Amino acid sequence: LLSGKTRLLTLIAMKAIRISLDKGIDRNLPGILVSLGAVYNKKGKIKKAYALGNVAALMADRFRQHKDDYAYAKFVAYSAIICQLESFQSSCDCLIKCMNDLKLVGKYELALGAGLNYFYAYFAAGYPLNSLLESKMIAAENFAKAAGKCTFVKTFQLQRATTLNLRKSSDNPTEIKSESLEISGAICAAADSQALRDFSSCRLMLAFIFWHEDCMASMLETLSSYPLSDISISRLHNRLTFVGLAAFAMARAKSSEVFMELGETCLAYFKKLAKLYSVNAVPIYALMKAMKHRTRQSFEKAVKACMETNVTHIQAIATEHFGEFLIDENDRELGEEYLTMAYWFYYDWGAHGKTVSMKNRHRFLLGISRRASFLKRARSFSISDSEAS
């Protein structure tokens, strides 16, 4: 699968299916089916891939006693196929279990791959950035060091450093470096294109959340040459989310047709998935359209779509940018309400560095009470409902 010999893999999978129909299913078939499903996904045959992934995942349950085959099939199914349409929340528990099972049977590289995808899915799901997450990242990093897998060590360090930048206040939150972490832009740039892609993706996400335009523009230029494909669905989702959002923002700020074209490419990716009712893609598609068009109606639709998914950081981004838009449109009272909502979403997410940044920028957030904010927002909805009736 990773070698790129998709035609050969397809032929092997088809032959294995025919043999299984004649002689019965064995423990290897689920793994072959998920590999074939990943190939279909890469070719854009998402429905066919999704069907194969689900069949393989259910079939793998028959071979739980064979932990290596069982965990491999589940790992590929949930990291490369199923989460294309189902929520990332549904993948997290399975991926961390796959990591532990594969580690137990000595499949260390696959175990680390499952762990890596767990953290990508965890972030895409909007789960809390807290000390428990950091302890899991440290444990994964130590496991990678013990296994002698330097590439995984650097990637886990990158994830942890990015999380720390969100959790803690910093003078320059887009700089990913720390004395305790053996990672820097120079190291990543010198390593390989995948490391540079991951490093640039993390910096772009930080630049968008903390709104550093020069960094956004620089990271977009780096990432524009990378293809819109990845064996890891959650990693691709995270990258394209912030590439698309930042591209539309920078297209407007710098009057750049190049950035606008990049944004349109990402928008088309999420549009295709949204048409297939992907619960992960629908809110991102709506939010990206709002960043492109910047109208009250588009932001209202985006906020509504994001609220329905319960993905905390996406809810925070949607309400923050709608609030900023309303203030620009001289509707300060409502704009401040949405910015207050965004503040509490970022707080719940664990991005305390961002909440400090918001307080520094918006002085009305100083000393706010969550209960008072909730009651004020409830009264606003009550008035809106009564006016509508």
Side-chain angles (χ1 to χ4, degrees), residues 193 196-197 200 218-229 239-240 243 258-259 262:
S193 62
L196 180 59
R197 177 203 63 196
S200 301
S218 176
M219 294 303 103
L220 283 172
E221 289 173 2
T222 300
L223 292 167
S224 62
S225 61
Y226 285 91
L228 301 185
S229 61
R239 171 162 61 97
L240 296 189
V243 168
V258 174
F259 288 151
L262 181 59

Side-chain angles (χ1 to χ4, degrees), residues 169-279:
S169 181
S170 169
D171 292 334
N172 193 351
T174 65
E175 288 295 322
I176 303 177
K177 60 182 180 180
S178 171
E179 293 179 1
S180 62
L181 300 174
E182 305 159 15
I183 191 162
S184 69
I187 290 174
C188 283
D192 56 50
S193 62
Q194 182 173 313
L196 180 59
R197 177 203 63 196
D198 294 345
F199 181 77
S200 301
S201 297
C202 289
R203 283 202 69 196
L204 177 63
M205 182 268 293
L206 291 170
F208 183 83
I209 289 175
F210 289 99
W211 204 254
H212 286 213
E213 291 189 1
D214 290 342
C215 184
M216 268 193 276
S218 176
M219 294 303 103
L220 283 172
E221 289 173 2
T222 300
L223 292 167
S224 62
S225 61
Y226 285 91
L228 301 185
S229 61
D230 195 331
I231 191 66
S232 169
I233 298 299
S234 51
R235 179 169 58 194
L236 181 65
H237 176 91
N238 291 331
R239 171 162 61 97
L240 296 189
T241 292
F242 288 99
V243 168
L245 294 175
F248 283 125
M250 290 299 95
R252 179 177 293 271
K254 299 185 180 294
S255 301
S256 170
E257 292 184 7
V258 174
F259 288 151
M260 179 61 74
E261 185 178 344
L262 181 59
E264 292 285 4
T265 304
C266 295
L267 186 65
Y269 170 84
F270 287 106
K271 180 180 181 179
K272 180 179 180 179
L273 290 175
K275 284 185 174 180
L276 295 173
Y277 305 103
S278 166
V279 294

Side-chain angles (χ1 to χ4, degrees), residues 121-167:
Y122 186 102
F123 180 83
Y127 283 150
L129 309 177
N130 52 28
S131 56
L132 177 60
L133 173 64
E134 186 178 355
S135 67
K136 288 181 179 179
M137 288 179 168
I138 292 172
E141 182 185 327
N142 290 335
F143 170 39
K145 286 180 179 178
K149 303 296 182 182
C150 296
T151 302
F152 283 104
V153 172
K154 298 297 182 189
T155 308
F156 287 131
Q157 288 176 344
L158 173 61
Q159 290 179 325
R160 184 156 66 96
T162 304
T163 302
L164 287 173
N165 279 25
L166 288 164
R167 292 184 62 207

